[in-house]
Amino acid sequence: MSHPASKPDTRTLTTVAHTTFFLLLGASLVRFLLRHPGEPRTPWILALSITLALLYVLGPALGAAPTTRRLLWLGLVVTTWMVLVVLAPSFAWCAVPLFFTALRTLPPRAAIVLVALLTGFVVIAQLQLAKSFDPNLLLAPPAVAALATAVFVHMERQARAQRTLIDDLIRTRRELAATERREGTLAERQRLSMEIHDTLAQNLSSQQMLLQAADRTWDTDPATARAHVRTATGIAAHGLAEARRLVHDLAPRELADGAGLAEALRSLDAGPDIEVRFHLEGTPTPLPDRVQSALLRIAQGALANVREHSGARTAALTLSFLGDQVVLDIADDGHGFTEPRTGAGTRSADRGHGLPAMRARVRQLGGTLTIESTPGEGTVLSAAIPLEPAP
């Protein structure tokens, strides 16, 4: 798993290595041309230098993974450089950025072997250029190579450990959030069960007892029976009020206090990095509470998917009143996904728990949910719910 925080550092290190390589290659070529003008090997040096530069430019296009093409490319670069060093020892210091390339491309043991081989060529080349034996030329290149390799390997291990730690933290946070949701659901179920037991169940029990008493005394004492029925009617009215209160408490808070669906949709957001725009089309008409609640929940779920999966920068909510139906469209400019499916009965595009819940809400209201997505062009989710004709 790659992390955005590590990408800028990697790009900076890669840019420095590439720049260093071309500076050393250019300096070595200029040094050779100035000190050895007009030699027969000059055309070969020019051709090999250009070839090495072109090969090095092709490297980023092959990626950093140790694929067959990448390994073949590295072999060609190293071979061309070795031939250059044999013909002109001044090109030996181009091996320094090649150390970095080898360490990034090869497994650790193979990379260390290649670095040792490159270091040996550097030592031989420097001894050839020296007029007399110099111990520094024999010891300095291996010391520099060993230090660079040790630093790089240590940084790679630290980066790998950091990536593992970040993955563990993300996984723990998701598990904690799931646990909190489950605990919240259980607590809400317990609260509702207690509310229903203490209000609706008790009222229904009282009504049953009163109606049974009225049935027993209907022929012998009609006045008492009618009193029982009137009392049961009052209890039923009280129970109806309690049921409406429970339904109101379960409604989305965005629709509380008489707020309309359009206002609730306009107030939604998908996080600080995504701009959400709302559009209203057609003439708004009063919608049943369950339709408003379902469309609001669908919009919230769709924006959660946009935030977590799409990589989008903008999302657009469009609420359209079309006379016989109301349509909610949620469109984003994210990366989309392959093999889109449309239709209310299709489940292949349901990549998580959100879309099945949306389909269930729409299906309960007799509507349809349509999803259209193209890789690189975003996703459009459309929920259409039929409306009963006005009397």
Side-chain angles (χ1 to χ4, degrees):
M1 178 179 180
S2 61
H3 298 275
S6 64
K7 292 181 179 179
D9 295 338
T10 302
R11 286 197 297 265
T12 301
L13 183 59
T14 302
T15 301
V16 171
H18 292 343
T19 304
T20 302
F21 176 81
F22 286 109
L23 286 176
L24 291 174
L25 180 63
S28 300
L29 179 60
V30 171
R31 182 180 185 279
F32 175 83
L33 294 177
L34 291 176
R35 297 198 175 188
H36 307 278
E39 289 194 4
R41 54 178 173 166
T42 299
W44 288 100
I45 298 297
L46 289 172
L48 289 172
S49 298
I50 296 174
T51 301
L52 182 59
L54 293 176
L55 286 173
Y56 199 84
V57 169
L58 292 176
L62 300 177
T67 60
T68 303
R69 291 191 303 172
R70 177 76 175 179
L71 296 177
L72 179 61
W73 167 83
L74 181 60
L76 290 175
V77 169
V78 172
T79 302
T80 306
W81 172 80
M82 287 182 174
V83 175
L84 262 176
V85 173
V86 171
L87 295 176
S90 58
F91 285 86
W93 287 110
C94 293
V96 175
L98 292 182
F99 293 166
F100 168 76
T101 303
L103 291 168
R104 286 194 62 198
T105 303
L106 299 175
R109 292 184 179 179
I112 292 175
V113 171
L114 181 57
V115 168
L117 178 62
L118 297 178
T119 305
F121 263 78
V122 172
V123 171
I124 295 173
Q126 293 302 308
L127 291 177
Q128 289 179 352
L129 290 175
K131 296 181 180 180
S132 60
F133 177 77
D134 188 347
N136 288 332
L137 299 179
L138 184 62
L139 300 177
V144 172
L147 178 61
T149 302
V151 170
F152 184 88
V153 171
H154 177 69
M155 291 176 60
E156 281 293 306
R157 289 176 178 174
Q158 281 192 327
R160 193 179 304 111
Q162 185 180 25
R163 288 192 294 268
T164 302
L165 178 60
I166 292 175
D167 291 341
D168 291 340
L169 290 175
I170 293 176
R171 183 170 57 254
T172 302
R173 186 176 64 180
R174 290 175 177 173
E175 292 175 354
L176 180 60
T179 301
E180 291 177 349
R181 285 195 297 269
R182 287 193 297 268
E183 292 178 351
T185 301
L186 292 176
E188 184 65 13
R189 287 178 178 176
Q190 184 178 9
R191 185 188 71 83
L192 287 176
S193 65
M194 294 173 60
E195 288 274 358
I196 293 173
H197 176 270
D198 294 340
T199 56
L200 299 181
Q202 295 291 345
N203 288 339
L204 290 173
S205 177
S206 299
Q207 292 175 53
Q208 183 183 26
M209 294 174 58
L210 288 169
L211 292 175
Q212 289 174 347
D215 182 63
R216 288 193 301 267
T217 61
W218 192 266
D219 295 329
T220 59
D221 191 355
T224 301
R226 283 193 292 270
H228 288 330
V229 172
R230 286 193 295 270
T231 304
T233 302
I235 294 176
H238 180 71
L240 179 60
E242 287 292 332
R244 288 174 175 170
R245 183 186 65 81
L246 285 175
V247 171
H248 182 271
D249 291 343
L250 292 175
R253 61 180 178 83
E254 291 85 356
L255 296 175
D257 301 327
L261 178 60
E263 288 75 11
L265 293 175
R266 187 176 285 110
S267 66
L268 296 180
D269 66 82
D273 298 328
I274 302 176
E275 179 185 1
V276 179
R277 303 168 183 169
F278 174 75
H279 306 279
L280 179 64
E281 296 184 359
T283 302
T285 58
L287 297 175
D289 291 342
R290 60 175 186 165
V291 173
Q292 295 190 72
S293 178
L295 291 178
L296 179 60
R297 294 305 190 202
I298 289 171
Q300 291 172 329
L303 290 179
N305 287 342
V306 170
R307 178 177 63 252
E308 296 176 7
H309 305 297
S310 72
R313 304 299 299 174
T314 60
L317 301 178
T318 304
L319 181 65
S320 304
F321 291 87
L322 304 179
D324 61 342
Q325 65 177 350
V326 59
V327 179
L328 175 64
D329 297 317
I330 302 98
D332 66 74
D333 59 355
H335 50 62
F337 54 91
T338 57
E339 298 183 3
R341 297 290 187 266
T342 59
T346 304
R347 298 182 61 84
S348 60
D350 296 349
R351 298 175 294 168
H353 298 289
L355 291 178
M358 296 180 200
R359 294 191 187 280
R361 291 181 186 276
V362 173
R363 192 180 300 113
Q364 290 174 356
L365 298 173
T368 57
L369 185 72
T370 304
I371 302 173
E372 298 179 359
S373 183
T374 302
E377 298 183 9
T379 303
V380 178
L381 183 147
S382 179
I385 298 177
L387 299 178
E388 296 181 359

